[in-house]
Amino acid sequence: MRYLYRFNGKPEFNDDRNDEILNPLLIIEVLSPSTEAYDRGDKFRKYRSIGGFCEYLLVSQTEPYIEQYHNLDSNSNDRWLWQVHSHLERAIFLHSLNVEIALTEIYRRINF
């Protein structure tokens, strides 16, 4: 399991830990067979309880396939838009960063 965080302001760490951030805007999970069900279910439910968290990407290692969840209501954690991105010739818009990135860049140097 690998992940990337984008912070809401300056990163706030949990006590002395440097691997647990309390204020992410964006979390990207690279899925593995052993953790995929947890990443989609309980982990995402826990992430949604984080104030300010607004975007979650689940990235497949085995095929060009990314699931994107974006919070549609900053005052609530129960209105998430789900989108699937599975064509390498397309791009994904990251709402939390206000940037678009091509899937070919995300999967650069990956052979399927």
Side-chain angles (χ1 to χ4, degrees), residues 79-90:
R79 292 192 60 222
W80 291 78
L81 175 66
W82 173 70
Q83 289 182 277
V84 171
H85 306 275
S86 59
H87 301 286
L88 284 174
E89 65 277 0
R90 297 199 178 151

Side-chain angles (χ1 to χ4, degrees), residues 14-60:
N14 189 5
D15 293 325
D16 292 332
R17 297 183 62 157
N18 65 359
D19 65 340
E20 191 172 332
I21 297 182
L22 302 175
N23 62 333
L25 287 175
L26 165 68
I27 299 175
I28 302 171
E29 297 274 1
V30 178
L31 298 173
S32 68
S34 63
T35 63
E36 184 171 351
Y38 177 65
D39 292 342
R40 292 178 187 286
D42 287 341
K43 187 185 271 189
F44 184 37
R45 182 179 50 82
K46 291 174 185 176
Y47 285 161
R48 290 193 312 261
S49 70
I50 299 170
F53 172 63
C54 63
E55 195 161 17
Y56 189 45
L57 299 182
L58 298 168
V59 180
S60 173

